[in-house]
Amino acid sequence: MANVIILDHPLIKHKVAIMRNKTTGTKEFKEVAKEIAMLMCYEATRNLSVEDVEVETPITTTTCQMLSGRKLAIVPILRAGLGMVDGMLALIPSAKTGHIGLYRDEETLEPVEYYCKMPSDISERDVFVVDPMLATGGSACDAIKLIKARGAKNIKFMCLIAAPEGIKKLTETHPDVDIYCAALDSHLNENGYIVPGLGDAGDRIFGTK
Ligand code: PRP
Ligand code: URA
C-alpha cells in the first residue's frame, strides 16, 4: 500500500499559509511554490542510496558518502507542476525533466492529455511526478499511467495540497506510488476545487486570471 507522507514542517506550514492567502500575488506565489518544492525534495529524497568515497581534505584523507548514482527524473504535470521544478532541481541538479500536459475538462473534471515528452531512458530512472494540486486525482493517476507505460517502476508523487478524494483514488489506482504533500485539506467543492485550498494553482502561478 502507498505511503502518504504529510510534510508538516513549520517552514512548510508557514509557506503554505502564504500560498493560500488570496492577496498573495503571482511573483510571491511562484517564489514560495519553489521554496516549498525544495523543502519537500529534501524529505522525498531521504531514501536515496549513498556509497563510500575517499576524499582528500586539506588536512587528511577520509571516507565520505555520496549519492550512488541512481538516475532521477522530475516530471511536472503542466501547467502548474512547472512551478515546482526549479525547487527540485536546486537540490538534484543532475535530474532530467520530462513533461506531461494534462488539463481538467471543466464540465466532467476528467483529465485531457495534450503533451508527453520523457527522457529517453525514463525506464531506468526514479521518477518524481510533481503537481501542486491533487484534487479528484484524475490528472495524477493518468500521468503516472503514462510514465509506467514507458517502463518507469520507482515513482513518487509530490503535491502541495491534497484532497482526501485524490489521495483515495491515487492510492487505490497506484498503490506502489508514495505520496508526499504539504497539506491534506478537507474536501472538494461542487466545482472540483479543494477546500480550503488555494484556488486555481495554474492561474495563480502564471497570472492568467
Ligand atoms: C490542476 C492541477 C492538477 C489538476 C488537479 O490543473 O494543477 O493538474 O488540476 O485536479 P484533479 O486531481 O482533479 O485532476 P488544471 O487542470 O487546472 O490545468 P492547468 O495546470 O493547465 O491550469
Ligand atoms: N486544480 C486547482 O488548481 N485547484 C484546485 O483546487 C483543484 C484543482
Side-chain angles (χ1 to χ4, degrees), residues 15 21 24 26 40 42 57 59 65-66 85 105 107-108 111 137 142 147 150 160 187 189:
K15 291 174 192 297
N21 191 328
T24 300
T26 298
M40 292 183 75
Y42 178 77
T57 77
I59 310 298
Q65 296 194 318
M66 293 187 82
V85 173
D105 182 285
E107 300 292 318
T108 65
D142 275 21
I147 295 165
R150 286 162 173 77
L160 303 186
H187 63 280
N189 70 14

mmCIF file of all heavy atoms in Angstrom, residues 15 21 24 26 40 42 57 59 65-66 85 105 107-108 111 137 142 147 150 160 187 189:
data_model
loop_
_atom_site.group_PDB
_atom_site.id
_atom_site.type_symbol
_atom_site.label_atom_id
_atom_site.label_comp_id
_atom_site.label_asym_id
_atom_site.label_seq_id
_atom_site.Cartn_x
_atom_site.Cartn_y
_atom_site.Cartn_z
ATOM 1 N N LYS A 15 4.788 28.644 4.724
ATOM 2 C CA LYS A 15 4.777 28.992 3.295
ATOM 3 C C LYS A 15 3.450 28.576 2.637
ATOM 4 O O LYS A 15 2.956 29.265 1.735
ATOM 5 C CB LYS A 15 5.976 28.344 2.595
ATOM 6 C CG LYS A 15 7.301 28.973 3.037
ATOM 7 C CD LYS A 15 8.500 28.249 2.458
ATOM 8 C CE LYS A 15 9.799 28.691 3.118
ATOM 9 N NZ LYS A 15 10.118 30.108 2.910
ATOM 10 N N ASN A 21 -3.331 32.398 0.888
ATOM 11 C CA ASN A 21 -3.884 33.754 1.033
ATOM 12 C C ASN A 21 -4.210 34.345 -0.337
ATOM 13 O O ASN A 21 -3.334 34.454 -1.193
ATOM 14 C CB ASN A 21 -2.854 34.617 1.766
ATOM 15 C CG ASN A 21 -3.437 35.939 2.194
ATOM 16 O OD1 ASN A 21 -4.320 36.491 1.518
ATOM 17 N ND2 ASN A 21 -2.964 36.449 3.310
ATOM 18 N N THR A 24 -1.983 37.089 -1.916
ATOM 19 C CA THR A 24 -0.606 36.830 -2.375
ATOM 20 C C THR A 24 -0.560 36.932 -3.897
ATOM 21 O O THR A 24 -1.328 36.264 -4.597
ATOM 22 C CB THR A 24 -0.137 35.429 -1.919
ATOM 23 O OG1 THR A 24 -0.173 35.389 -0.492
ATOM 24 C CG2 THR A 24 1.270 35.120 -2.405
ATOM 25 N N THR A 26 1.242 37.008 -7.892
ATOM 26 C CA THR A 26 1.889 35.979 -8.719
ATOM 27 C C THR A 26 3.369 35.797 -8.385
ATOM 28 O O THR A 26 3.854 34.670 -8.272
ATOM 29 C CB THR A 26 1.742 36.379 -10.208
ATOM 30 O OG1 THR A 26 0.353 36.424 -10.504
ATOM 31 C CG2 THR A 26 2.407 35.383 -11.123
ATOM 32 N N MET A 40 10.355 20.080 0.275
ATOM 33 C CA MET A 40 9.751 18.747 0.120
ATOM 34 C C MET A 40 10.740 17.782 -0.522
ATOM 35 O O MET A 40 10.784 16.599 -0.187
ATOM 36 C CB MET A 40 8.482 18.834 -0.727
ATOM 37 C CG MET A 40 7.357 19.582 -0.036
ATOM 38 S SD MET A 40 5.850 19.596 -1.030
ATOM 39 C CE MET A 40 5.286 17.916 -0.795
ATOM 40 N N TYR A 42 13.870 17.687 -0.168
ATOM 41 C CA TYR A 42 14.809 17.246 0.881
ATOM 42 C C TYR A 42 14.280 15.982 1.559
ATOM 43 O O TYR A 42 15.005 15.016 1.783
ATOM 44 C CB TYR A 42 14.963 18.398 1.877
ATOM 45 C CG TYR A 42 15.852 18.130 3.054
ATOM 46 C CD1 TYR A 42 17.227 18.159 2.932
ATOM 47 C CD2 TYR A 42 15.293 17.851 4.301
ATOM 48 C CE1 TYR A 42 18.036 17.908 4.027
ATOM 49 C CE2 TYR A 42 16.096 17.606 5.393
ATOM 50 C CZ TYR A 42 17.465 17.638 5.249
ATOM 51 O OH TYR A 42 18.261 17.392 6.339
ATOM 52 N N THR A 57 40.831 15.853 2.117
ATOM 53 C CA THR A 57 40.566 17.206 2.632
ATOM 54 C C THR A 57 41.916 17.954 2.677
ATOM 55 O O THR A 57 42.967 17.343 2.473
ATOM 56 C CB THR A 57 39.963 17.154 4.056
ATOM 57 O OG1 THR A 57 41.005 16.883 4.981
ATOM 58 C CG2 THR A 57 38.874 16.094 4.164
ATOM 59 N N ILE A 59 43.453 18.511 5.104
ATOM 60 C CA ILE A 59 44.158 18.015 6.280
ATOM 61 C C ILE A 59 44.582 16.550 6.139
ATOM 62 O O ILE A 59 45.682 16.168 6.496
ATOM 63 C CB ILE A 59 43.247 18.143 7.551
ATOM 64 C CG1 ILE A 59 42.650 19.550 7.657
ATOM 65 C CG2 ILE A 59 43.989 17.727 8.815
ATOM 66 C CD1 ILE A 59 43.659 20.658 7.809
ATOM 67 N N GLN A 65 30.455 9.899 2.153
ATOM 68 C CA GLN A 65 29.401 9.235 1.377
ATOM 69 C C GLN A 65 28.831 10.202 0.356
ATOM 70 O O GLN A 65 28.598 11.377 0.658
ATOM 71 C CB GLN A 65 28.301 8.725 2.301
ATOM 72 C CG GLN A 65 28.816 7.641 3.243
ATOM 73 C CD GLN A 65 27.699 6.902 3.924
ATOM 74 O OE1 GLN A 65 26.728 7.504 4.356
ATOM 75 N NE2 GLN A 65 27.830 5.591 4.020
ATOM 76 N N MET A 66 28.629 9.682 -0.846
ATOM 77 C CA MET A 66 27.980 10.486 -1.898
ATOM 78 C C MET A 66 26.867 9.655 -2.523
ATOM 79 O O MET A 66 26.844 8.415 -2.391
ATOM 80 C CB MET A 66 29.001 10.886 -2.967
ATOM 81 C CG MET A 66 30.053 11.854 -2.438
ATOM 82 S SD MET A 66 31.137 12.480 -3.717
ATOM 83 C CE MET A 66 30.134 13.796 -4.408
ATOM 84 N N VAL A 85 9.372 22.665 -10.340
ATOM 85 C CA VAL A 85 10.558 22.037 -10.939
ATOM 86 C C VAL A 85 11.858 22.694 -10.469
ATOM 87 O O VAL A 85 12.809 21.998 -10.082
ATOM 88 C CB VAL A 85 10.463 22.067 -12.484
ATOM 89 C CG1 VAL A 85 11.758 21.580 -13.107
ATOM 90 C CG2 VAL A 85 9.299 21.222 -12.952
ATOM 91 N N ASP A 105 -11.030 18.840 -17.879
ATOM 92 C CA ASP A 105 -12.218 19.355 -18.543
ATOM 93 C C ASP A 105 -13.110 19.985 -17.470
ATOM 94 O O ASP A 105 -13.394 19.353 -16.444
ATOM 95 C CB ASP A 105 -12.954 18.205 -19.243
ATOM 96 C CG ASP A 105 -14.177 18.702 -19.980
ATOM 97 O OD1 ASP A 105 -15.194 19.004 -19.307
ATOM 98 O OD2 ASP A 105 -14.120 18.784 -21.201
ATOM 99 N N GLU A 107 -16.192 20.672 -17.280
ATOM 100 C CA GLU A 107 -17.503 20.050 -17.033
ATOM 101 C C GLU A 107 -17.353 18.693 -16.351
ATOM 102 O O GLU A 107 -17.912 18.449 -15.288
ATOM 103 C CB GLU A 107 -18.254 19.853 -18.365
ATOM 104 C CG GLU A 107 -18.534 21.127 -19.137
ATOM 105 C CD GLU A 107 -19.541 22.002 -18.412
ATOM 106 O OE1 GLU A 107 -20.516 21.450 -17.886
ATOM 107 O OE2 GLU A 107 -19.337 23.237 -18.353
ATOM 108 N N THR A 108 -16.578 17.819 -16.976
ATOM 109 C CA THR A 108 -16.506 16.429 -16.498
ATOM 110 C C THR A 108 -15.461 16.240 -15.406
ATOM 111 O O THR A 108 -15.478 15.231 -14.698
ATOM 112 C CB THR A 108 -16.137 15.489 -17.653
ATOM 113 O OG1 THR A 108 -14.796 15.825 -18.077
ATOM 114 C CG2 THR A 108 -17.080 15.643 -18.826
ATOM 115 N N PRO A 111 -9.280 14.366 -16.832
ATOM 116 C CA PRO A 111 -8.073 14.930 -17.444
ATOM 117 C C PRO A 111 -8.016 14.690 -18.949
ATOM 118 O O PRO A 111 -8.417 13.631 -19.424
ATOM 119 C CB PRO A 111 -6.941 14.185 -16.737
ATOM 120 C CG PRO A 111 -7.548 12.956 -16.180
ATOM 121 C CD PRO A 111 -9.009 13.215 -15.983
ATOM 122 N N GLY A 137 -7.802 13.540 -8.296
ATOM 123 C CA GLY A 137 -6.753 12.527 -8.511
ATOM 124 C C GLY A 137 -6.666 12.049 -9.949
ATOM 125 O O GLY A 137 -5.759 11.301 -10.304
ATOM 126 N N ASP A 142 -3.570 9.563 -14.313
ATOM 127 C CA ASP A 142 -3.285 9.428 -15.748
ATOM 128 C C ASP A 142 -1.811 9.678 -16.035
ATOM 129 O O ASP A 142 -1.199 8.973 -16.843
ATOM 130 C CB ASP A 142 -4.138 10.411 -16.557
ATOM 131 C CG ASP A 142 -5.502 9.831 -16.859
ATOM 132 O OD1 ASP A 142 -5.913 8.894 -16.127
ATOM 133 O OD2 ASP A 142 -6.146 10.290 -17.812
ATOM 134 N N ILE A 147 3.587 7.345 -17.461
ATOM 135 C CA ILE A 147 5.004 7.132 -17.118
ATOM 136 C C ILE A 147 5.292 5.633 -16.952
ATOM 137 O O ILE A 147 6.301 5.121 -17.435
ATOM 138 C CB ILE A 147 5.357 7.917 -15.838
ATOM 139 C CG1 ILE A 147 5.230 9.420 -16.112
ATOM 140 C CG2 ILE A 147 6.760 7.588 -15.358
ATOM 141 C CD1 ILE A 147 5.194 10.262 -14.858
ATOM 142 N N ARG A 150 5.837 3.757 -20.056
ATOM 143 C CA ARG A 150 7.187 3.907 -20.641
ATOM 144 C C ARG A 150 8.236 3.160 -19.840
ATOM 145 O O ARG A 150 9.430 3.354 -20.038
ATOM 146 C CB ARG A 150 7.533 5.396 -20.762
ATOM 147 C CG ARG A 150 6.779 6.053 -21.905
ATOM 148 C CD ARG A 150 6.752 7.554 -21.779
ATOM 149 N NE ARG A 150 6.158 8.168 -22.968
ATOM 150 C CZ ARG A 150 4.858 8.204 -23.230
ATOM 151 N NH1 ARG A 150 4.010 7.654 -22.382
ATOM 152 N NH2 ARG A 150 4.409 8.771 -24.331
ATOM 153 N N LEU A 160 1.469 20.022 -3.321
ATOM 154 C CA LEU A 160 1.419 20.950 -2.189
ATOM 155 C C LEU A 160 0.157 20.685 -1.374
ATOM 156 O O LEU A 160 0.209 20.523 -0.168
ATOM 157 C CB LEU A 160 1.451 22.399 -2.687
ATOM 158 C CG LEU A 160 2.654 22.781 -3.554
ATOM 159 C CD1 LEU A 160 2.644 24.266 -3.857
ATOM 160 C CD2 LEU A 160 3.953 22.376 -2.884
ATOM 161 N N HIS A 187 -12.002 18.728 1.709
ATOM 162 C CA HIS A 187 -12.844 18.065 0.706
ATOM 163 C C HIS A 187 -12.810 18.866 -0.594
ATOM 164 O O HIS A 187 -12.194 19.946 -0.651
ATOM 165 C CB HIS A 187 -14.293 17.958 1.209
ATOM 166 C CG HIS A 187 -14.954 19.297 1.433
ATOM 167 N ND1 HIS A 187 -14.730 20.055 2.568
ATOM 168 C CD2 HIS A 187 -15.808 20.020 0.656
ATOM 169 C CE1 HIS A 187 -15.429 21.178 2.477
ATOM 170 N NE2 HIS A 187 -16.078 21.187 1.323
ATOM 171 N N ASN A 189 -15.119 20.977 -3.458
ATOM 172 C CA ASN A 189 -16.433 21.604 -3.585
ATOM 173 C C ASN A 189 -17.135 21.113 -4.857
ATOM 174 O O ASN A 189 -16.612 20.245 -5.575
ATOM 175 C CB ASN A 189 -16.341 23.136 -3.505
ATOM 176 C CG ASN A 189 -15.674 23.753 -4.726
ATOM 177 O OD1 ASN A 189 -15.498 23.086 -5.757
ATOM 178 N ND2 ASN A 189 -15.317 25.008 -4.618
#
